[in-house]
Amino acid sequence: MAAPRTTVWQLDPHTKAKHDLLKFYLGGWFPVLSSYNGRIVFLDGFAGPGRYQSGEPGSPLIALETLLAHSYFSKMKCEFLFFFCEAKKDRFESLTQQIAGYKEAHQPWPENVKIQLINSEFSETATNLIEHLRSQKRRLAPTFAFVDPFGFSGLPMSVLAELLSFSSCELFVNYMVDHVNRFATAGNVDHHLVDLFGTTDYKQVGNVTPGQSRQQFLHDLYERQLTDVCKFPYVQSFAMINKTGHIGYYLFHGTRDVKGVELMKDAMWKVDAGGGFQFSDRLAGQDVLFTESAVDTDPLRRALLARYTGKRVSITALEQFTLIHTPYRKTHLRKPVLTPLEREGIIQVERPGRSGFPSGTWITFP
């Protein structure tokens, strides 16, 4: 489904941005989950060779380093189990060497950090893990599944749903919409596409009318399946836009906890994509670029005015709306949006203190 790769290759700018995002997110996820669980799992479904041509670390080493170098690691008493899955034999051998070298450089190796290297396809690994847990009558520990393929084969929606059915499990997946769009109506890889979506509805993309976006149709379908089949109440997607303004792929994050949404939002806004690539999302028909240096909060302002016209609403509800239904962070709400709205006399504010928007504040939108 994609161009062949050698054992190792150059690190692309968009891949570095994706890895930075993973690092920032795990930096928050590890301490949160380890504080109330005896074991947590990181599953890398397409782990790769471990390093790139110029020596940059791949996702397995990034995940390990994020944990071991964390300022709170000594206080994290739970067991960390890392599954690194790589199907290609040459890449698996390279990964094995890189992990061995990393462990040797970090002796004494912490007893609560376990690594399992698996030389098989992601779908096979996930299915075997599910069957093992069933035989043991056990449930999967809270898991963060990082699924980053080169194409779209080997990602069955049904397997993702079963593997991540536990309430604290999360998914971060690279959805190669460009490849999907190219093959959606070709008819020669339908078995892969049925697996990917868990439905044949993708074929309706051929009926998209002129002026509508095939990519948007395929994006919305995948998002709907993550919600309906995998039962993720919170699904966020982030477009990776190249220097020509073209969407190369979407990153989807699925979680069942609002805290996971908050952590991912914080990570997204920290990443400097660089290399001419940008992360973006859409709100009210307008692109929102994830760049802290020049945040355009006008779409958030318009969304709030449209959503809450004629209503009196708490600051807590506004935070939840901002976090769950827009691309923005909580920090983009108060000073960038609410303060100007109050100054302009557009909203009326009832606050328990003399200034700001503390807990207990109510806002009326005329």
Side-chain angles (χ1 to χ4, degrees), residues 344-366:
E344 296 163 24
I346 296 176
I347 61 173
Q348 286 77 52
V349 181
E350 307 162 52
R351 52 175 59 91
R354 300 182 62 180
S355 63
F357 299 89
S359 178
T361 297
W362 288 81
I363 295 97
T364 299
F365 292 78

Side-chain angles (χ1 to χ4, degrees), residues 105-340:
H106 291 77
Q107 293 297 322
W109 187 256
E111 294 183 357
N112 62 327
V113 179
K114 310 292 177 57
I115 300 173
Q116 189 166 343
L117 300 171
I118 306 168
N119 184 202
S120 70
E121 298 287 348
F122 167 71
S123 57
E124 180 182 344
T125 299
T127 300
N128 290 340
L129 181 57
I130 293 167
E131 291 176 353
H132 172 73
L133 292 170
R134 279 177 176 167
S135 68
Q136 299 295 316
K137 296 184 178 180
R138 295 172 59 189
R139 299 187 71 184
L140 188 67
T143 298
F144 186 86
F146 179 58
V147 186
D148 186 20
F150 292 125
F152 56 79
S153 62
L155 292 176
M157 182 66 66
S158 59
V159 172
L160 291 177
E162 195 162 11
L163 178 66
L164 302 174
S165 60
F166 186 64
S167 61
S168 295
C169 293
E170 299 187 14
L171 173 68
F172 187 43
V173 59
N174 177 2
Y175 173 53
M176 305 290 284
V177 70
D178 238 4
H179 294 288
V180 175
N181 188 26
R182 192 180 311 154
F183 290 98
T185 54
N188 58 337
V189 291
D190 283 356
H191 58 297
H192 290 310
L193 290 169
V194 171
D195 278 350
L196 177 71
F197 290 105
T199 178
T200 59
D201 288 354
Y202 69 89
K203 295 182 179 181
Q204 297 175 17
V205 73
N207 301 325
V208 169
T209 59
Q212 291 183 307
S213 168
R214 285 171 57 104
Q215 280 196 346
Q216 190 64 45
F217 174 89
L218 294 168
H219 163 279
D220 294 347
L221 175 60
Y222 197 70
E223 182 177 59
R224 185 172 76 241
Q225 291 300 94
L226 289 178
T227 301
D228 295 346
V229 179
C230 292
K231 307 300 182 185
F232 286 121
Y234 307 115
V235 177
Q236 304 173 83
S237 67
F238 309 99
M240 176 60 89
I241 301 176
N242 62 26
K243 61 186 68 176
T244 67
H246 183 69
I247 296 175
Y249 56 82
Y250 287 99
L251 299 175
F252 274 93
H253 175 238
T255 181
R256 298 180 179 88
D257 194 319
V258 174
K259 184 62 178 178
V261 179
E262 186 171 4
L263 287 174
M264 184 55 74
K265 286 284 184 68
D266 289 345
M268 286 300 308
W269 283 96
K270 288 178 183 177
V271 173
D272 177 14
F277 289 87
Q278 294 176 304
F279 290 118
S280 110
D281 198 357
R282 293 185 67 80
L283 178 61
Q286 182 174 338
D287 287 327
V288 176
L289 299 180
F290 290 82
T291 167
E292 284 284 22
S293 59
V295 182
D296 179 10
T297 56
D298 280 347
L300 176 57
R301 173 183 170 122
R302 291 196 299 272
L304 291 172
L305 291 173
R307 172 69 175 80
Y308 294 106
T309 295
K311 296 181 179 179
R312 179 176 177 267
V313 61
S314 69
I315 187 65
T316 301
L318 292 181
E319 286 181 334
Q320 291 291 89
F321 174 80
T322 300
L323 193 61
I324 296 171
H325 298 291
T326 84
Y328 293 94
R329 303 168 68 183
K330 285 183 180 180
T331 55
H332 295 140
L333 174 65
R334 287 174 167 80
K335 189 173 180 179
V337 175
L338 295 182
T339 295

